[in-house]
Structures are given as structure tokens and as C-alpha cells.
Amino acid sequence: MDDFADRTRREALAAVAGFSLGSTLTSSAFGQGIARPEEPVLVAYFSRTGNTRVVAGLIQRAFGADMFEIVPANPYPDEYLATVEQARQERDKGVEPPLKAKVPDIARYATVFLGLPIWGETAPPLIRSFLSSHDLSAKALLPFITHGGYGLGNSERVIARHAPRAQLRPAFTMQADQERQTMDRVNAWLGNRLAKPR
């Protein structure tokens, strides 16, 4: 990760970590203040590399929220490019992969923070599955989204379409692109090493 991206990520995480439990939350990371959410609060998240999990943990601690990890019934491949290809096929075919578990008693929550990475310029297929499987009617829905530098794509439209009766709030977004940068840098290094014998 380059110094700027690393510094930006640390600053955003520090801003989220510094939230006060009893007051209006203000943070340049969120772009605007966030009032203490109506309780009870759930933080539901999907994370492949851990970036979204870190943000989920910070939000959970800030609000004393319950935490739920969104997990596929059939795990994605460990290999990055195989996961990318599987997710692309699921997206293109409109597949909503089955969940390993659902949130018990989702009806009791007034506020749901929903964490996800961007995959292929959109929300991962598993997020569509989560939203289709849970009634979020009249709940405050606050997405927090990590991405590898390509922005949000159509993820907010996907969330709005799959949770039409939720009270959707603006998303918190953060670039967290070390996996792609790592691949690019290692491949470039290997390409240079392989091309030039010593």
C-alpha cells in the first residue's frame, strides 16, 4: 500500500475509533456528523480480506451493537482471482448465493449498519442475498463500504433496490485496496525479474 493510501486508511480508522458513545458523531471519514443511532443496533458485515471487518468492529464498539458476520453457505475460493471470477458469474446471472445463517430476530433492531466491500464495481452477490433474506422495513440502514480504488459503482442502487422499505442513509466509504495493489506490485516485480536474467 502506498504511503498516502496507508495514511488515509489509518486516519479514517482513527476517526471511527474515536467516536464518543453519548454524543453526535462527527468525522471527516463519514463526511458529516452521525447522531447516535436508535437502539438496538446491529452491525452486519461481509469481509473477504478483513478491511470491512475492522470497520465493523469499530462501529460495534462505538455503539455497543450486536455483530453479525454475513457468511456464504459455500465459501468463496481462497484464491483471489478465482473469487473474482465466481463473483462475476454470480453477478452476471443474478445469483443470490445461500447464506450460512440469518440474523435471529432481525425485527428487534431499529438500526442496521451494513458493511461490504465492492466486488466488480457493485455490492457482492452475498449482500443481495442478505438483503433479500431479511425484512429491513422502517429500519435505519447505514451502509459502510470498502473499495479498492474504483469507488462505489452501483452498490448504493443495489442496496436501495433490495431493501426498498428501509430508511437508507448515506454510505460511509473508504478505499482499502492493498490486495489489488499487492497483486499488481508483485506481478510487476515478477515480470521484471523474469524478463531480465541476472
Side-chain angles (χ1 to χ4, degrees):
M1 184 180 302
D2 66 30
D3 290 337
F4 175 75
D6 188 41
R7 188 180 76 247
T8 302
R9 180 173 184 230
R10 280 195 313 269
E11 289 169 355
L13 291 175
V16 174
F19 288 157
S20 164
L21 293 178
S23 63
T24 296
L25 305 177
T26 58
S27 167
S28 60
F30 277 87
Q32 60 186 359
I34 294 182
R36 184 163 180 77
E38 185 178 342
E39 295 181 357
V41 177
L42 174 68
V43 177
Y45 72 94
F46 171 61
S47 185
R48 181 179 182 281
T49 63
N51 292 316
T52 308
R53 180 180 297 113
V54 168
V55 180
L58 293 168
I59 295 168
Q60 186 271 332
R61 283 188 295 280
F63 298 118
D66 292 340
M67 185 97 97
F68 180 82
E69 182 174 9
I70 302 167
V71 178
N74 303 305
Y76 283 100
D78 288 335
E79 205 273 315
Y80 175 76
L81 293 176
T83 297
V84 169
E85 179 57 24
Q86 181 177 330
R88 184 194 61 75
Q89 289 178 19
E90 290 173 347
R91 179 199 66 209
D92 291 352
K93 295 176 182 176
V95 171
E96 292 183 3
L99 302 170
K100 185 174 182 178
K102 289 175 62 176
V103 175
D105 197 20
I106 189 85
R108 76 181 206 85
Y109 295 101
T111 303
V112 176
F113 284 87
L114 177 64
L116 59 133
I118 293 298
W119 282 13
E121 299 180 5
T122 191
L126 196 61
I127 294 300
R128 295 192 316 264
S129 301
F130 176 83
L131 293 169
S132 295
S133 301
H134 294 87
D135 183 5
L136 301 180
S137 297
K139 298 181 186 315
L141 179 59
L142 294 93
F144 57 99
I145 302 172
T146 59
H147 64 86
Y150 296 108
L152 298 177
N154 72 346
S155 61
E156 291 178 299
R157 287 190 303 277
V158 168
I159 294 167
R161 188 170 55 248
H162 284 79
R165 291 186 289 281
Q167 298 171 8
L168 186 59
R169 304 288 161 61
F172 164 74
T173 63
M174 187 176 89
Q175 184 173 339
D177 59 353
Q178 71 268 14
E179 188 165 31
R180 181 170 297 281
Q181 281 190 6
T182 298
M183 285 182 48
D184 291 346
R185 290 178 71 185
V186 169
N187 285 333
W189 175 74
L190 287 173
N192 289 338
R193 297 287 180 215
L194 297 173
K196 299 176 185 173
R198 291 188 149 193

